[in-house]
């Protein structure tokens, strides 16, 4: 039906339906052959550096156009072009926010900040029930000072306390006695005061000290007093210049 016509006289097709055939001069020297449209498309596609569609992480894996369209649709809808299995099920999050990973991460960051409360007084430490809270360096220093020179250590033979006499006493093998004394109100000369602990033969250490210097019209407290121990005597010394002074001291004796 096309006899006598040249190639350029043939009708120009707008599309190539399945089952169409091409006349191809084979590059391997085997001559001119008839090749189906499907074979041509596959051969041309395999020669392009596109990769294997089976390795796509999109749901659509039949061709690149569908895969690209899927990514575009997810991007426009606020979704992710990454396979959801790589992220996990958001409903399994233990945070309150479960809508997306950004909100869940922000919630964790806020909880971390709130949980790390710093306790600045011994009263706050005593009243605290939150295990995530921490004591400030000032409070820790006050606790150490209240030990009155006592130190503790442990070795293979047991646990020990070391008092003012620098002699280790094994805990659990000794008797510990304590006594608390208060001075009452002292005058201007009371910036130095000595307690005599008559129930103790000697003072091994001090567990607590309260040293107060008062000035009008409001009291000024100063716990940073000098402490010295001699036998069963404890001498406390504050700065001079207050109107009056008050002291309370608890000492202990470790008897082996």
């Amino acid at each position: 039906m096309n006899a006598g016509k040249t190639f350029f006289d043939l009708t120009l097709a707008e599309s190539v339906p399945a089952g169409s055939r091409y006349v191809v001069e084979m590059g391997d020297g085997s001559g001119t052959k008839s090749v189906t449209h499907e074979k041509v498309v596959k051969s041309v596609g395999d020669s392009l550096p596109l990769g294997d569609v089976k390795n796509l992480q999109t749901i659509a894996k039949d061709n690149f156009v569908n895969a690209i369209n899927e990514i575009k649709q997810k991007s426009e809808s606020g979704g992710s072009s990454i396979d959801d299995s790589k992220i996990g099920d958001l409903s399994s999050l233990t945070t309150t926010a479960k809508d997306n990973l950004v909100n869940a991460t922000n919630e964790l960051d806020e909880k971390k900040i709130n949980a790390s409360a710093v306790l600045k007084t011994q009263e706050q430490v005593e009243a605290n029930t939150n295990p995530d809270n921490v004591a400030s360096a000032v409070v820790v220093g006050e606790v150490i000072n209240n030990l009155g020179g006592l130190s503790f250590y442990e070795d293979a033979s047991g646990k020990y306390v070391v008092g003012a006499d620098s002699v280790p006493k094994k805990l659990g093998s000794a008797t510990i006695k304590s006594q608390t004394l208060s001075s009452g109100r002292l005058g201007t000369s009371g910036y130095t005061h000595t307690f005599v602990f008559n129930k103790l033969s000697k003072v091994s250490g001090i567990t607590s000290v309260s040293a107060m210097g008062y000035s009008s019209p409001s009291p000024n407290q100063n716990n940073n007093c000098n402490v010295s121990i001699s036998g069963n005597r404890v001498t406390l010394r504050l700065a001079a210049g207050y109107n009056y002074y008050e002291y309370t001291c608890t000492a202990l004796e470790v008897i082996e």
Side-chain angles (χ1 to χ4, degrees), residues 185-208:
R185 180 177 294 192
L186 304 174
T188 56
S189 63
Y191 60 89
T192 297
H193 182 72
T194 298
F195 285 112
V196 179
F197 290 90
N198 55 4
K199 294 183 179 180
L200 308 178
S201 60
K202 67 176 181 178
V203 173
S204 302
I206 299 171
T207 59
S208 66

Side-chain angles (χ1 to χ4, degrees), residues 3-222:
K5 294 183 178 182
T6 67
F7 176 80
F8 294 100
D9 293 329
L10 298 176
T11 303
L12 183 64
E14 299 298 330
S15 62
V16 180
S20 299
R21 288 179 175 269
Y22 302 95
V23 176
V24 179
E25 182 178 350
M26 307 305 289
D28 59 0
S30 59
T32 302
K33 296 183 181 180
S34 173
V35 182
T36 64
H37 172 71
E38 289 76 18
K39 290 290 186 181
V40 172
V41 171
K42 183 177 186 307
S43 297
V44 173
D46 288 346
S47 67
L48 296 176
L50 298 178
D52 192 338
V53 292
K54 293 185 297 182
N55 295 327
L56 287 168
Q57 294 188 16
T58 53
I59 296 174
K61 299 180 186 296
D62 53 342
N63 61 67
F64 288 104
V65 172
N66 289 341
I68 293 170
N69 287 339
E70 178 187 328
I71 294 172
K72 182 174 182 295
Q73 290 171 0
K74 286 187 176 182
S75 176
E76 291 174 347
S77 63
S80 171
S81 60
I82 302 174
D83 187 348
D84 289 342
S85 66
K86 306 296 182 182
I87 299 176
D89 188 352
L90 293 178
S91 64
S92 299
L93 287 167
T94 58
T95 53
T96 303
K98 300 180 186 294
D99 52 342
N100 62 63
L101 294 178
V102 172
N103 289 340
T105 303
N106 289 339
E107 179 183 327
L108 290 175
D109 188 56
E110 291 172 0
K111 286 184 176 180
K112 178 188 70 175
I113 294 172
N114 294 334
S116 299
V118 178
L119 307 176
K120 299 181 179 179
T121 67
Q122 291 190 47
E123 290 76 16
Q124 289 178 345
V125 172
E126 292 172 358
N128 176 63
T129 58
N130 187 344
D132 294 323
N133 291 344
V134 295
S136 71
V138 175
V139 174
V140 174
E142 290 176 356
V143 172
I144 293 174
N145 288 335
N146 286 342
L147 291 176
L150 290 177
S151 62
F152 301 86
Y153 71 91
E154 181 177 4
D155 60 22
S157 63
K159 299 179 180 180
Y160 294 84
V161 58
V162 180
D165 57 4
S166 300
V167 178
K169 280 87 175 177
K170 187 173 183 180
L171 295 176
S173 63
T175 300
I176 298 177
K177 297 169 61 177
S178 67
Q179 184 179 1
T180 300
L181 296 177
S182 297
S183 67
R185 180 177 294 192
L186 304 174
T188 56
S189 63
Y191 60 89
T192 297
H193 182 72
T194 298
F195 285 112
V196 179
F197 290 90
N198 55 4
K199 294 183 179 180
L200 308 178
S201 60
K202 67 176 181 178
V203 173
S204 302
I206 299 171
T207 59
S208 66
V209 173
S210 173
M212 303 281 288
Y214 292 89
S215 295
S216 298
S218 60
N220 296 312
Q221 179 177 358
N222 184 355

